[in-house]
Amino acid sequence: MTALIQTIDTPDGAFTILADDQQHVLASGWTADHAAILDRLAAGERPTDVREGETDAAEAVRAYYGGDVAAIDTVPVRQKGTTLQISGWAALRKIAPGVPLTYTSFAAVLDNPRAVRAAASICARNAPALFVPCHRVLRTDGTLGGFAWGLDVKESLLARERATR
């Protein structure tokens, strides 16, 4: 599979997008390190040919940082995983900006309120960060919890989204 990779500047630092030949985002995150983006995918899911180029998703990122936090909602993504992961990633895309869930409430959305660890794992294994907004899930006590791209980025995204409510 051939894929495009593009790095753009954001207020939270460099943001890199990996998109397939149909412009579906495969992986993304706050780094200029292309290897770090590719490493977000399972070895068998990584594209064989990666070229630098313009991605359609970059415009949505610019719009998001420009104040249109809903701009990321319609960007197509492609994720492969278990049935629970796929449904979890779809559920993440339904969390409203500025209204984060706890891992416990996210587990309840997945129809398994005791599966808090599974809910956290779904977030941790989310490759197309921002477009599948795993940053909108917090610890039960309301603290940030983890985020692959750093808690400073997670807090910045949440603050940006709170400001638009």
Side-chain angles (χ1 to χ4, degrees), residues 37-67:
I37 297 299
L38 288 166
D39 285 347
R40 298 293 296 164
L41 300 172
E45 302 300 323
R46 293 181 190 143
T48 53
D49 182 24
V50 178
R51 301 174 186 175
E52 288 196 33
E54 296 286 321
T55 62
D56 293 348
E59 193 55 41
V61 175
R62 291 183 186 104
Y64 174 90
Y65 277 101

Side-chain angles (χ1 to χ4, degrees), residues 77-103:
V77 298
R78 179 157 292 135
Q79 293 174 283
K80 293 186 180 177
T82 66
T83 301
L84 180 61
Q85 287 171 326
I86 297 294
S87 66
W89 292 325
L92 286 170
R93 294 197 89 180
K94 295 176 184 172
I95 300 172
V99 189
L101 298 178
T102 64
Y103 288 108

Side-chain angles (χ1 to χ4, degrees), residues 2-20:
T2 299
L4 293 175
I5 198 160
Q6 179 181 15
T7 301
I8 62 173
D9 290 325
T10 75
D12 291 319
F15 185 79
T16 299
I17 303 161
L18 178 70
D20 67 14

